Amino acid sequence: MSEKSPVLNAPVQSCRISRPRERIVATARDLFHKFGIRSIGVDTIAEAAGTNKMTLYRHFGSKDDLICECLQEVARDVETMWGEITASNPNDPRAQLQEWVRRSAECVVNDGRGCDLANAAVELTEADHPARKVIEGVKRTYYIHLVDLCRAVGVAQPELLADALSLLFEGARVSRQSVGAEGPSARFVRMSEAVISAFADRTH
């Protein structure tokens, strides 16, 4: 995809944001999500954000810096989600876990592009790419949240349950991308509930 790509015809809501830095990040996140990281250049991002490349580089030293900031924004969104899950059912871990299943199912159903972090990890194959540390850190923090929630539910092997649910979620998002909404991902809720029940029924 060249810098004169028709991608600029795609709606980017971030242009309503007043501050250039925020517009650039919101626009880059939107374009990276829709079209991938490698296929979008800084000229395209700057133009879609209603600014110019000089302004973009004043806020971000390189495209890699912008990529990392976009992924950090994803991390902040994830932390907000965990806070909302906790607040939705205070002192009721089982209900919170059910809320996680519900929200995860919505992600799978409503977004056929999949996880921004996983997609970035696939595209950015260089082991020393700075974004890879961001991705690993966010995924690790997410996993710790899920383990803590599974432990609060009272299952005997919270780490193993978190592993199973993580793989179900990641697999459902990939399946949604590859075979569509009517494939195995459509049964994500049923599978997750079955796994949770199986662990809850175990005494050791």
Side-chain angles (χ1 to χ4, degrees):
M1 183 176 295
S2 70
E3 289 295 343
K4 296 299 182 181
S5 166
V7 71
L8 292 177
N9 294 325
V12 179
Q13 303 301 324
S14 60
C15 288
R16 291 199 294 267
I17 300 172
S18 59
R19 295 180 179 178
R21 180 185 176 88
E22 294 174 357
R23 283 206 314 274
I24 291 166
V25 173
T27 300
R29 281 189 66 180
D30 184 58
L31 295 176
F32 290 158
H33 182 74
K34 290 176 179 176
F35 304 103
I37 290 172
R38 294 297 194 193
S39 62
I40 299 296
V42 293
D43 286 337
T44 298
I45 295 167
E47 187 173 350
T51 184
N52 55 59
K53 192 160 65 171
M54 182 181 297
T55 299
L56 186 151
Y57 280 126
R58 187 164 64 245
H59 290 282
F60 303 98
S62 66
K63 182 182 175 183
D64 286 347
D65 289 342
L66 177 56
I67 292 168
C68 289
E69 179 59 26
C70 289
L71 297 178
Q72 292 287 7
E73 282 279 312
V74 174
R76 287 187 277 273
D77 289 346
V78 170
E79 285 301 310
T80 297
M81 179 206 72
W82 280 112
E84 291 171 349
I85 288 175
T86 301
S88 67
N89 294 283
N91 304 316
D92 191 344
R94 184 62 182 264
Q96 291 172 20
L97 189 55
Q98 291 171 341
E99 176 70 5
W100 176 85
V101 171
R102 184 189 69 78
R103 286 172 176 255
S104 298
E106 287 181 354
C107 271
V108 171
V109 170
N110 296 332
D111 189 356
R113 282 291 297 146
C115 173
D116 288 338
L117 297 166
N119 291 344
V122 170
E123 285 198 76
L124 305 174
T125 57
E126 306 94 324
D128 60 347
H129 194 288
R132 296 198 66 87
K133 288 186 177 179
V134 178
I135 295 166
E136 291 167 8
V138 177
K139 287 289 189 180
R140 179 63 185 167
T141 300
Y142 187 101
Y143 175 75
I144 291 170
H145 277 302
L146 189 55
V147 170
D148 288 344
L149 183 52
C150 292
R151 183 176 291 112
V153 170
V155 299
Q157 295 179 290
E159 293 87 357
L160 194 58
L161 175 56
D163 288 344
L165 292 175
S166 294
L167 290 174
L168 272 176
F169 184 38
E170 297 279 358
R173 299 197 81 176
V174 172
S175 176
R176 171 73 170 81
Q177 286 181 287
S178 57
V179 298
E182 301 306 316
S185 65
R187 293 176 287 281
F188 171 77
V189 171
R190 287 171 56 194
M191 289 186 287
S192 297
E193 290 176 345
V195 169
I196 293 169
S197 294
F199 274 80
D201 290 341
R202 297 173 65 177
T203 57
H204 56 82

